[in-house]
Amino acid sequence: MNAEAPWDAFDPQAYVNHNYADVIPEDAAIISIVRAHFADHFRANPVRPARGIDVGAGANLYPAFTMLPWCDEITLLDRAEPNVRYLHGQRLSYDASWDAFWNLLCQDEAYAGLAGDPRERFAAVTRVEQADLFALTGRPEHWSLGTMFFVAESLSTSHEEFRHAVECFLLSLVPGAPFAAAFMEHSQGYFVGDTHFPACDVGELEIQSSIQAHAEGLRMFTVGQPDAVRPGYTSMIVACGFRARGN
């Protein structure tokens, strides 16, 4: 279960070094999908500013980057103390390795046209909050834009906790809010440094059904090949849609 996992032993720098030292094709594909989803929505619906949240932000800044043009506030939510320290350290001036991820987003004018230095913008609008994502049940319908990347399936082996994590994320968004979520399909668990962390083995149909209960306009994308980033998964699944207005 999530409460039993060794989150205080999570090594964010080891995680970044393994996953985000360079932009791999899988992340480039994910960025392209999410960039188009958010930019197309806000071109058609130019109401701003939005209030964003990245659930389980951890040691990955690019989900927050995808929300940057439209938000005057982005909550970087994580429960692990090492990740919270990492996020605080990156807020005011993030490492140069993240520039390549921002540059990919800038293939769309919504990002390229953002006034000023993206580091200054990131520092101005982000806030780090240490909290368990399951605590979002007490703060429903608060955010108008959201991301959750590789979190719901990577916090325990429990299918019940997986479904509850997806539900907590979606119910934290206001009706109609655009969102993007990413999942490791059929993940068998993963190492960060020398520490093993649990994962829930979920496939595309289970991911889809868990989201559809509280979403509309859902589109699913399969990205990458089995074991391309690490052993023990079959592909990455990206889900883009909107918080349902009717439930």
Side-chain angles (χ1 to χ4, degrees), residues 34-57:
V34 178
R35 179 184 66 207
H37 177 55
F38 288 162
D40 289 350
H41 170 76
F42 284 103
R43 269 191 284 269
N45 303 274
V47 177
R48 62 179 68 184
R51 180 187 292 123
I53 184 169
D54 182 26
V55 173

Side-chain angles (χ1 to χ4, degrees), residues 70-174:
W70 303 285
C71 291
D72 63 354
E73 176 188 316
I74 299 174
T75 299
L76 306 176
L77 188 85
D78 204 278
R79 67 165 290 172
E81 180 64 34
N83 286 343
V84 169
R85 289 197 303 269
Y86 176 83
L87 291 167
H88 277 300
Q90 295 293 304
R91 260 197 72 244
L92 297 182
S93 183
Y94 52 77
D95 292 341
S97 60
W98 293 107
D99 290 335
F101 295 86
W102 176 253
N103 291 339
L104 273 181
L105 287 166
C106 287
Q107 292 179 14
D108 189 289
E109 178 58 29
Y111 299 89
L114 190 66
D117 184 339
R119 279 180 172 76
E120 293 179 0
R121 175 75 174 170
F122 188 77
V125 304
T126 57
R127 56 182 292 271
V128 180
E129 180 177 342
Q130 184 171 16
D132 192 310
L133 74 86
F134 295 122
L136 291 175
T137 54
R139 299 159 64 180
E141 300 186 0
H142 183 76
W143 289 277
S144 50
L145 184 59
T147 55
M148 183 177 67
F149 280 33
F150 310 117
V151 175
E153 80 288 11
S154 302
L155 50 80
S156 80
T157 60
S158 166
H159 288 257
E160 181 179 353
E161 285 200 326
F162 167 77
R163 289 188 291 270
H164 187 37
V166 172
E167 180 181 62
C168 288
F169 167 59
L170 291 173
L171 293 184
S172 75
L173 306 177
V174 301

